[in-house]
Amino acid sequence: MSDIADFCASQLLSLYRDRQLSPVAATKAALERINTYNNSVNAFAIVDENTALAEAQASEVRWLNGNPRGLVDGIPFTVKDLLLTKGLPTRRGSKAIISHQPWEENAPAVARLREQGAVLLGKTTTSEFGWKGVTDSPLTGITRNPWNTDLTPGGSSGGAAVAAALGMGTLHLATDGGGSSRTPAALTGVFGFKPTFGRVSGYPSAHTGSLFHIGVLVRTVTDAALTLNVIAHSDVRDWYALPNEKQDYTSDLDKGIAGLRIAYSPNFGYAEVDAEVAALVKAAVDVFAKLGAIVEEVDPGFVNPRPIFQTFWQAGAAKLLRGFSPEQQALIE
């Protein structure tokens, strides 16, 4: 059998179902990867090995009884340290957050995964309050790219991306405001995207408002779709949540793309694109065309959104800072 830590969620679930593998073995394999690599890449803010093994043992019993709790029962997962997690501190990469306080709530996405039996390994690193496009913070230090530890994995969900790339867990909750999931996905070779705002409920409301989206970083598209089936549900704590859709995001993954219409813009009408990146993107677009998609090159006529984005981002940062005492503010980079 291949290394268990490299299995995707659909493989693990099939093996659990056939009683060829236990959630305990999958969890131990993920923890072993963490113990082997985390000192080199610094992907985790906290690892809760005891809780993970206890949750895995409970999952094993459910599978042996033929009564799995949900779609992801026994699948090891992690949470970016911006999302509330019951029983573990959410420090948000900052020394200004006091860890010794009650942590009694799960953010909606965390709650949905735990309700369906997923096994929590710990919290992954983020830049302080998710403010930067790299993952380093005064609290946890520098998170490094697994392909070259002299380089960054991007940010602010760099810890989640690194954990996904190295098999330190299977599913990894992340967030994205200005590229916080998409950039680490690109720089580490995993899959991530920014779901439609409100599709995955958020709580408490983020200081960056509608810029803050919640998603997942994983090794396969199928795992992303499976996770979205679990976490894309409205939550009464989020008044921006979209209505629940009766949709299985995994259902059309094998239907191919023939006939689909794809709009392709080399630069969105304003961006300066590195020549090597432009060539690689064009090659990928050509593959879509060869597979039968209808590709149309377009100029959407966008102006550079950076000034608008910075206004929203900086206003959110100012709002966040006003909530801290002067002593806490002095601890923030």
Side-chain angles (χ1 to χ4, degrees):
M1 182 179 288
S2 302
D3 195 320
I4 297 169
D6 292 326
F7 290 165
C8 65
S10 57
Q11 290 174 302
L12 291 176
L13 291 168
S14 178
L15 291 167
Y16 296 166
R17 196 173 295 113
D18 294 339
R19 299 191 178 186
Q20 295 181 30
L21 186 69
S22 160
V24 174
T27 300
K28 286 182 176 179
L31 290 169
E32 183 177 347
R33 284 287 179 91
I34 295 170
N35 290 333
T36 300
Y37 293 114
N38 195 55
N39 285 341
S40 298
V41 295
N42 190 31
F44 281 81
I46 185 170
V47 178
D48 189 356
E49 183 170 335
N50 290 335
T51 297
L53 290 172
E55 291 181 357
Q57 288 163 359
S59 175
E60 178 181 73
V61 171
R62 291 192 294 269
W63 278 104
L64 289 174
N65 290 333
N67 188 32
R69 182 182 292 172
L71 295 177
V72 290
D73 200 345
I75 302 299
F77 83 104
T78 72
V79 180
K80 182 180 179 180
D81 196 32
L82 292 183
L83 300 175
L84 287 178
T85 306
K86 186 175 181 179
L88 293 179
T90 300
R91 299 289 301 275
R92 294 188 281 174
S94 181
K95 294 180 179 179
I97 305 297
I98 300 169
S99 62
H100 301 295
Q101 58 177 295
W103 300 100
E104 298 178 344
E105 277 193 290
N106 289 310
V110 181
R112 302 295 85 79
L113 284 168
R114 300 184 92 172
E115 287 165 0
Q116 297 209 26
V119 174
L120 177 65
L121 298 173
K123 308 293 289 288
T124 54
T125 52
T126 176
S127 57
E128 190 171 27
F129 303 114
W131 279 347
K132 294 191 294 187
V134 296
T135 301
D136 61 59
S137 78
L139 182 67
T140 57
I142 300 171
T143 297
R144 300 184 181 277
N145 194 301
W147 298 96
N148 183 341
T149 54
D150 290 331
L151 303 178
T152 180
S156 62
S157 303
V162 173
L166 290 174
M168 298 192 290
T170 309
L171 310 176
H172 308 273
L173 289 179
T175 67
D176 194 319
S180 284
S181 288
R182 292 161 290 166
T183 301
L187 296 185
T188 61
V190 301
F191 179 78
F193 68 109
K194 184 176 183 177
T196 300
F197 180 69
R199 177 55 57 212
V200 180
S201 295
Y203 172 84
S205 56
H207 60 278
T208 50
S210 62
L211 293 177
F212 187 83
H213 299 212
I214 298 165
V216 63
L217 284 161
V218 287
R219 293 191 295 278
T220 71
V221 173
T222 300
D223 278 4
L226 172 65
T227 309
L228 201 58
N229 280 347
V230 176
I231 66 176
H233 293 278
S234 60
D235 188 292
V236 294
R237 295 172 292 175
D238 180 4
W239 52 82
Y240 291 113
L242 295 173
N244 290 333
E245 287 187 337
K246 294 181 179 180
Q247 180 172 346
D248 178 0
Y249 293 101
T250 67
S251 61
D252 293 335
L253 294 181
D254 296 324
K255 287 188 175 181
I257 61 172
L260 292 181
R261 300 180 62 84
I262 298 176
Y264 159 57
S265 174
N267 60 7
F268 287 127
Y270 71 89
E272 294 183 10
V273 183
D274 181 88
E276 181 181 6
V277 172
L280 290 169
V281 172
K282 181 60 168 63
V285 169
D286 290 343
V287 171
F288 284 127
K290 290 177 182 178
L291 292 173
I294 302 167
V295 179
E296 181 181 356
E297 185 170 325
V298 297
D299 179 359
F302 294 158
V303 297
N304 189 340
R306 184 181 182 91
I308 298 173
F309 176 83
Q310 285 183 320
T311 297
F312 278 103
W313 197 261
Q314 291 167 0
K319 175 186 175 183
L320 177 68
L321 286 172
R322 283 199 299 269
F324 290 106
S325 69
E327 292 75 18
Q328 289 173 305
Q329 290 182 21
L331 298 173
I332 297 172
E333 279 193 352

